[in-house]
Amino acid sequence: GGLFSGSHRCIRSSTECKNIPSTKLQAGNYKCVCKEGYRFPTPSSASQFFEGRAVERAYLDFVRNNSSNYTNDFSCMPMPTTPPSTTPLGGEGEPIVAFDFLARGIPLGIQSFCMTVSVVIGIVILCFRKTKVMRSSIWVLLEMLLFGAILLYATVVIQYFEPTTLTCLLLPWCREMGFAIVYGVLVLKIYRILAEFQSRKAHRVHVRDKDLLKYLAVILTVVIAYMSAWTAVNMDHLSSNSTILERLHTKDNKAYTLCRAMWWDYVIEAGEFIFLCFGIYMCYCVRSAPTEYSEGRFITGAISY
């Protein structure tokens, strides 16, 4: 650290600067290693240090945009001071929370049952797709809705397993794609009712099935583009020795791992809320419109509750 005369960007509270031999004396040509009494956030990583160039970039982002990545991603964690425990160990001798198979298995069983029921209903719809009720409800959209529901149920199945980089990347994809399909189908069906029954023209407006499928494709394209950008940014962070996992501790200093919540998550949750509010508004607009098989009332209940 003395070679850089204090100009390095290592977080001094938990790391210290070390020169990399056979490199020029330039900004970023160093590594930040954990101080004594601290450990690297990801013990399984091959390189137990932070690369100087990555630290420099995060520091500039912190100065310009007040980003929290600098302090969150490039700090070492204090070693536990509790005496040895008989509980399973994680990392470098750190006691971790025991994996409760029963508590996790109950919701897993419920969600698996719901997924199975969704598959059975999908087969029934496919078999009766030529009946009047299925044609009026657009059986293709019903199948899409069930597929979206399966994706939403799958998020609980993924959370049954211990968090890893793969599960943390896969979980938002299932959740957002499932949400977009399920509520996209419901909102589009309400839109069709609104277009047909709230027109003040002399002739009745008819929205074709293929038009609804096009609108749903647009919604899914937007979600896929957003999630692709989210994945690309996280993969870039991973290549810079960052992590999307977060190690937390209970009151008795036992560790557990979660997927780190980032500002991307709050942005998309806000988008989901706005989309649902739009759907509820459309349901309010068609509250007095007559529909076959009380479809409007059931869709309103599904969106609202």
Side-chain angles (χ1 to χ4, degrees):
L3 290 175
F4 291 90
S5 302
S7 62
H8 63 84
R9 301 305 180 187
C10 297
I11 298 179
R12 291 173 169 80
S13 60
S14 61
T15 64
E16 57 185 359
C17 175
K18 294 292 184 180
N19 181 43
I20 301 177
S22 303
T23 58
K24 296 181 180 180
L25 197 60
Q26 296 178 347
N29 284 351
Y30 59 86
K31 59 184 179 181
C32 301
V33 299
C34 297
K35 288 184 175 180
E36 184 177 356
Y38 292 83
R39 64 173 183 82
F40 199 68
T42 52
S44 59
S45 176
S47 56
Q48 297 290 303
F49 59 85
F50 301 110
E51 185 183 14
R53 290 188 177 87
V55 176
E56 294 277 347
R57 289 195 298 269
Y59 179 78
L60 288 177
D61 191 33
F62 169 73
V63 172
R64 295 171 180 172
N65 305 317
N66 198 26
S67 171
S68 61
N69 291 340
Y70 172 64
T71 54
N72 290 340
D73 296 346
F74 298 95
S75 298
C76 290
M77 302 178 64
M79 294 287 292
T81 57
T82 55
S85 172
T86 58
T87 57
L89 298 180
E92 299 177 0
E94 184 179 28
I96 64 173
V97 176
F99 190 87
D100 193 335
F101 288 94
L102 179 60
R104 289 174 175 261
I106 292 175
L108 175 66
I110 295 174
Q111 299 301 312
S112 299
F113 173 76
C114 293
M115 293 173 69
T116 304
V117 171
S118 298
V119 172
V120 172
I121 295 175
I123 295 174
V124 172
I125 292 175
L126 184 63
C127 294
F128 292 92
R129 64 187 182 278
K130 296 182 180 180
T131 60
K132 180 181 177 182
V133 61
M134 293 302 173
R135 289 201 305 268
S136 64
S137 299
I138 315 176
W139 71 272
V140 176
L141 288 182
L142 294 178
E143 296 283 17
M144 292 290 294
L145 188 147
L146 288 171
F147 177 69
I150 291 174
L151 290 178
L152 290 177
Y153 291 137
T155 59
V156 179
V157 177
I158 294 173
Q159 291 176 349
Y160 173 80
F161 302 97
E162 288 288 343
T164 62
T165 299
L166 178 61
T167 58
C168 289
L169 290 174
L170 186 61
L171 182 64
W173 273 94
C174 290
R175 184 179 63 242
E176 304 311 330
M177 290 300 296
F179 177 91
I181 295 173
V182 170
Y183 291 98
V185 168
L186 294 176
V187 169
L188 288 176
K189 289 176 76 68
I190 284 291
Y191 163 75
R192 184 180 194 178
I193 297 173
L194 180 65
E196 291 179 352
F197 293 98
Q198 203 176 10
S199 176
R200 296 186 179 182
K201 298 179 181 180
H203 65 279
R204 181 176 176 179
V205 177
H206 179 70
V207 180
R208 297 176 301 173
D209 295 353
K210 63 170 60 176
D211 292 332
L212 295 182
L213 293 175
K214 289 179 182 178
Y215 300 152
L216 181 61
V218 171
I219 294 174
L220 294 181
T221 300
V222 172
V223 174
I224 291 173
Y226 183 90
M227 294 306 301
S228 298
W230 175 86
T231 304
V233 170
N234 279 287
M235 294 300 294
D236 184 60
H237 286 170
L238 290 173
S239 64
S240 302
N241 293 327
S242 182
T243 178
I244 58 175
L245 297 173
E246 185 175 15
R247 180 63 65 91
L248 302 175
H249 295 80
T250 60
K251 292 182 179 180
D252 54 354
N253 205 34
K254 291 182 179 180
Y256 60 97
T257 304
L258 292 176
C259 299
R260 176 178 295 174
M262 293 175 284
W263 67 268
W264 289 78
D265 303 305
Y266 302 115
V267 169
I268 202 162
E269 286 177 4
E272 291 175 356
F273 179 75
I274 294 173
F275 188 78
L276 288 176
C277 289
F278 174 70
I280 293 174
Y281 169 74
M282 294 185 67
C283 291
Y284 175 78
C285 293
V286 301
R287 65 192 183 280
S288 58
T291 56
E292 291 183 320
Y293 311 106
S294 301
E295 186 179 39
R297 184 175 60 188
F298 289 124
I299 295 176
T300 299
I303 295 178
S304 302
Y305 302 105

